[in-house]
Amino acid sequence: MVDQHEYIRGLLPYLDIVKGTALPSLFLSQGCKESGFGKYEFFNNFMGIKCHKGVKCRIGKTSEVIDGALVPDLKLAFAVYDSREDCAKDYVRILNYKYSNGFDRYAPVRAAQCYQQATYQIQACGYATGLTYGASLRANYIEPYVLYDFDFKKNYKSDITKNFKWYEAFSSVKLPNRRQYQKAIEPPE
């Protein structure tokens, strides 16, 4: 069995692909949940993406919530990819897709400013059928593995003046149901 932290580290290279489309905490938590930390990763499909036009597909086993009831052991067609990178790119394509009538299904997900909004919106927009999908992403992945920290990291090089000194600035962060804390801004690598 793959160590959970090691699995998360394995998904980090794909954060650049989803940048500007989904919060890193949402992407990482969905990858962990949909694949069971890699246990159920199906032909490089770690995001649980179903078969759709333009991808190769294979039949896989899953459970879905249909009309409010869990239906186990369903055989559905899932997208299969040559690489994890292809899966991440398809995830971005899906979240950015606009229908011919102009409907933009995942616009609220892309507009989310925090992981609470993002996880609520990904469920509300219908990415998954689970009735507690968003809450599960928060309670079982984002909060225990502190994935929200990835939402605050960015490329600091472009935001620095020449008078700036590292560790003289602090970022004040307040998380729901937690006390406020200050965190030193880390220098770029």
Side-chain angles (χ1 to χ4, degrees):
M1 184 172 164
V2 175
D3 172 67
Q4 288 93 348
H5 292 94
E6 190 63 34
Y7 188 78
I8 293 167
R9 278 190 291 279
L11 296 181
L12 296 181
Y14 310 111
L15 289 181
D16 283 339
I17 294 170
V18 300
K19 187 177 183 180
T21 299
L23 288 175
S25 60
L26 178 66
F27 172 75
L28 293 170
S29 64
Q30 285 189 274
C32 293
K33 180 175 179 61
E34 295 289 346
S35 71
F37 287 105
K39 184 177 179 186
Y40 306 108
E41 193 169 311
F42 190 69
F43 293 91
N44 294 312
N45 184 348
F46 60 93
M47 298 303 287
I49 299 172
K50 303 292 191 305
C51 185
H52 58 85
K53 185 178 178 181
V55 296
K56 296 178 271 181
C57 303
R58 291 219 176 170
I59 300 296
K61 259 177 122 175
T62 189
S63 298
E64 298 286 339
V65 174
I66 301 173
D67 294 328
L70 181 66
V71 180
D73 299 324
L74 288 174
K75 290 182 180 177
L76 297 177
F78 285 87
V80 296
Y81 302 100
D82 294 329
S83 68
R84 283 174 148 193
E85 181 179 342
D86 291 343
C87 179
K89 287 177 180 176
D90 198 31
Y91 174 79
V92 168
R93 189 201 60 76
I94 290 167
L95 291 190
N96 283 313
Y97 184 78
K98 291 182 183 154
Y99 293 89
S100 58
N101 66 1
F103 180 62
D104 190 351
R105 178 179 181 180
Y106 292 107
V109 176
R110 293 192 314 272
Q113 297 295 308
C114 66
Y115 74 87
Q116 294 91 343
Q117 290 173 356
T119 53
Y120 173 81
Q121 292 298 345
I122 199 75
Q123 181 176 341
C125 291
Y127 186 91
T129 62
L131 301 175
T132 59
Y133 186 78
S136 173
L137 293 175
R138 289 187 299 275
N140 299 326
Y141 304 94
I142 295 174
E143 292 168 358
Y145 294 97
V146 197
L147 299 180
Y148 50 79
D149 267 359
F150 292 100
D151 297 343
F152 300 111
K153 293 183 189 239
K154 63 178 189 171
N155 181 359
Y156 297 111
K157 290 180 184 175
S158 62
D159 297 337
I160 300 173
T161 66
K162 57 182 166 179
N163 295 330
F164 183 84
K165 291 190 174 135
W166 290 108
Y167 297 106
E168 287 184 356
F170 288 85
S171 173
S172 185
V173 179
K174 181 162 173 75
L175 299 173
N177 302 323
R178 295 176 188 200
R179 68 176 195 260
Q180 186 166 337
Y181 68 94
Q182 288 193 331
K183 184 175 184 176
I185 296 176
E186 301 291 331
E189 296 175 2

